[in-house]
Amino acid sequence: MSGRRIFINISDKIREILDPQLCLDCGITLPSGSGFCRSCQADFQHVSNPCHLCGLSNVSSGTICPACLHRSPRWDHMLAPLVYAGSTRQLLQRLKYQQQNEVAAALADLLASSFSQRSVQALVPVPMHYSRLIERGFNHADEIAIQLARRLRIPVDRHLLLRRRATLPQSGLTPTQRYRNLQAAFSCAAQPAYRSVAIVDDIITSGSTMQVISQCLRRAGVDHIEVWSLARTLRD
Ligand SMILES: [Zn+2]
Ligand SMILES: [Zn+2]
């Protein structure tokens, strides 16, 4: 072993002792690097055979589920690899409410290969209204987009989409009221510099926010719209 290699090994050992890297899920010490231990990595639940449009498990043999064939969403492709449950749910809550940015980095490491098969010109994080941004201190969608962008070498555009107002509480509203509430919340830059983008968020639940944003981007002239999220809420 060369002298340089021995030096690197010793400095790695010293770093492990002084600043041990722990699995972000179970907390055991990791031999090197950061993120998740092998056991926790294997435990993440991925959506099985996801529909390319809604991200939910597709029971048919095609790439698009029967529901999306009947009524397509406004975007062209969705990727939301993890099921929003168990440790994925806990991790995303730690990112969102405790600003544990290392969670976004570790999940981006885990999922980058799923997203690398897609091709878009820019990542557009779902914006947060400034009043909420002041309250929370950061936008978790920005952090996810930044971490994915670093690994995939795609620029992040935080100016293409604007949050004009904070969304009113959605509970208790009819579907039409919810849609109008959301529609008034977003606007797009007049002349987007990109023809294809991916809107980035942490979780897809009903998809109504993405419908409104996609419509906005489409009207502004974006041809190809993808929705990228770390996790998908499954229907009951
Ligand atoms: Zn672990
Ligand atoms: Zn579908």
Side-chain angles (χ1 to χ4, degrees), residues 41-81:
Q41 277 185 34
D43 280 350
F44 279 107
Q45 190 187 348
H46 291 250
V47 179
S48 63
N49 191 33
C51 164
H52 289 195
L53 283 180
C54 68
L56 295 169
S57 288
N58 181 9
V59 289
S60 76
S61 57
T63 55
I64 310 293
C65 76
C68 290
L69 282 175
H70 178 65
R71 191 174 181 181
S72 299
R74 292 192 167 95
W75 54 81
D76 301 292
H77 196 99
M78 179 188 279
L79 259 181

Side-chain angles (χ1 to χ4, degrees), residues 23-28 30 35-41:
C23 170
L24 288 170
D25 193 5
C26 70
I28 65 160
L30 297 174
F36 306 108
C37 70
R38 283 187 180 200
S39 163
C40 289
Q41 277 185 34

Side-chain angles (χ1 to χ4, degrees), residues 62-174:
T63 55
I64 310 293
C65 76
C68 290
L69 282 175
H70 178 65
R71 191 174 181 181
S72 299
R74 292 192 167 95
W75 54 81
D76 301 292
H77 196 99
M78 179 188 279
L79 259 181
L82 299 176
V83 174
Y84 185 63
S87 56
T88 298
R89 185 194 194 111
Q90 287 169 9
L91 285 160
L92 289 178
Q93 287 183 349
R94 279 164 53 190
L95 169 66
K96 197 165 182 171
Y97 301 111
Q98 296 169 31
Q99 299 189 19
Q100 294 188 10
N101 289 352
E102 62 274 25
V103 168
L107 288 173
D109 276 339
L110 184 82
L111 302 173
S113 61
S114 310
F115 293 100
S116 66
Q117 291 153 27
R118 308 297 311 162
S119 173
V120 291
Q121 293 173 303
L123 302 187
V124 180
V126 173
M128 193 178 266
H129 189 255
Y130 72 88
S131 59
R132 180 142 315 153
L133 202 54
I134 290 168
E135 191 187 308
R136 286 246 180 101
F138 93 133
N139 178 3
H140 55 281
D142 280 351
E143 192 56 34
I144 293 166
I146 290 165
Q147 295 296 342
L148 284 174
R150 248 180 227 162
R151 287 153 184 81
L152 304 172
R153 298 176 191 275
I154 304 171
V156 175
D157 190 321
R158 289 166 28 174
H159 305 288
L160 182 54
L161 201 58
L162 305 168
R163 191 102 185 200
R164 288 192 297 199
R165 68 175 205 200
T167 318
L168 302 170
Q170 297 278 71
S171 56
L173 300 180
T174 65

